[in-house]
Structures are given as C-alpha cells and as structure tokens.
Amino acid sequence: MRSLKLAGTLTAIAAVTHLIIVAGGADWYRFFGAGEQMAQMQEQGSSYPAIITSIIASILAIWSLYAFSGAQSIRTLPLLKPILSIITLIFLTRGLFAIPVVLFADSPYMAELAGNMSFMLISSLICLVIGFSYAIGTYQLLTTAKRQKHKVQGNN
C-alpha cells in the first residue's frame, strides 16, 4: 500500500500548500496559477479567495486521510473504496484534460490560464503522479479485498 501512502503524502502537501497560498497573499495566488482576478480580489480585501482556497485545502486534506485509510495507516473511513476510486478519477481527469480544456474553452479565465502554460503543464503532471498513485493503491486495495473474500468463501 505504498502507493496510497505516497498519494496521501502528496495530497497533504497540496493541502498545506493551499493554506500557505492564503497566507502568502496575492503574489502567491499569481505564482500558483489562481489567476489575476483572484489575486486582485485578495488585494482588495475580499475574503472570497481565502474561502475558496481554504475549501480546496480542506477537500485535499480529507482526500489525504482517505489515502492513509486505504493504506491502513489510520482507521478505515466510511465508503473507502468508492471514495478512493472517485478521487483517482478526479486527479487523473484533471491531469489529462486540463490543458485541452484551457486551450479550447472560450472564456477570459481560460485564456489567462493558457497564458501560463508552464504552470498548467507542471500542475497537470503533478495531478497525474498523484492520480496514478491513487490508481495503483486503490487497485491493490480492491484486488486484496477480492482475494480475501474468495479465500473466506473457499473455507466455507
């Protein structure tokens, strides 16, 4: 279950990074690709960027806990297998499709992201690494559970 431990660690790092972005202010929003509008709202004292970024951090932290739960590092969380599968799909979808969406979508926000293609490439690669870590670990978890189920049924 090393893959899920890696996924949990990387996701926890992403969660903490989002909290650091909130503390870092507008320049951090710009550097991490949140967009000029988010940076300007933060500079104008709006709480919206901090709220959105904190929500993202919270979601990532919960996903990290699910990875650690699947790795059996913490207690089993509810709906573990389906939630790990959903997390896997989200990370892989973000990693695979973010760049085409940015390039082909007709919106000012997407045009701004397209102007920061190096960020999009790096963040997409990071999402792919995390997504494949979840995928491998979730597959191992599911196949181990199936083997254990067949073993128990074979003893009856």
Side-chain angles (χ1 to χ4, degrees):
M1 301 296 174
R2 279 190 254 166
S3 295
L4 284 173
K5 285 183 182 178
L6 175 63
T9 301
L10 293 174
T11 308
I13 290 168
V16 170
T17 301
H18 279 77
L19 294 176
I20 293 170
I21 291 168
V22 171
D27 289 338
W28 285 67
Y29 280 98
R30 287 184 185 97
F31 178 78
F32 283 98
E36 186 59 30
Q37 186 177 10
M38 288 283 277
Q40 288 178 1
M41 283 190 289
Q42 194 281 331
E43 287 175 332
Q44 294 166 359
S46 171
S47 60
Y48 179 80
I51 291 169
I52 295 298
T53 308
S54 296
I55 290 169
I56 293 168
S58 298
I59 291 167
L60 291 169
I62 292 167
W63 289 0
S64 178
L65 290 175
Y66 269 88
F68 290 126
S69 178
Q72 300 172 345
S73 297
I74 62 171
R75 72 175 186 83
T76 302
L77 295 175
L79 302 169
L80 179 64
K81 293 170 192 165
I83 289 176
L84 285 174
S85 298
I86 291 167
I87 294 167
T88 299
L89 288 173
I90 291 170
F91 272 115
L92 291 177
T93 300
R94 165 55 179 87
L96 291 171
F97 296 110
I99 291 173
V101 167
V102 165
L103 291 176
F104 297 113
D106 186 27
S107 100
Y109 179 71
M110 294 299 175
E112 184 180 339
L113 287 176
N116 192 0
M117 195 51 67
S118 60
F119 169 79
M120 289 305 297
L121 286 170
I122 292 167
S123 62
S124 292
L125 286 173
I126 291 169
C127 286
L128 285 174
V129 168
I130 296 172
F132 280 119
S133 296
Y134 274 99
I136 292 165
T138 301
Y139 176 78
Q140 290 171 339
L141 182 67
L142 293 172
T143 56
T144 300
K146 281 184 182 180
R147 273 187 261 131
Q148 288 174 348
K149 183 179 178 181
H150 288 295
K151 191 176 183 180
V152 168
Q153 287 177 347
N155 289 336
N156 291 332

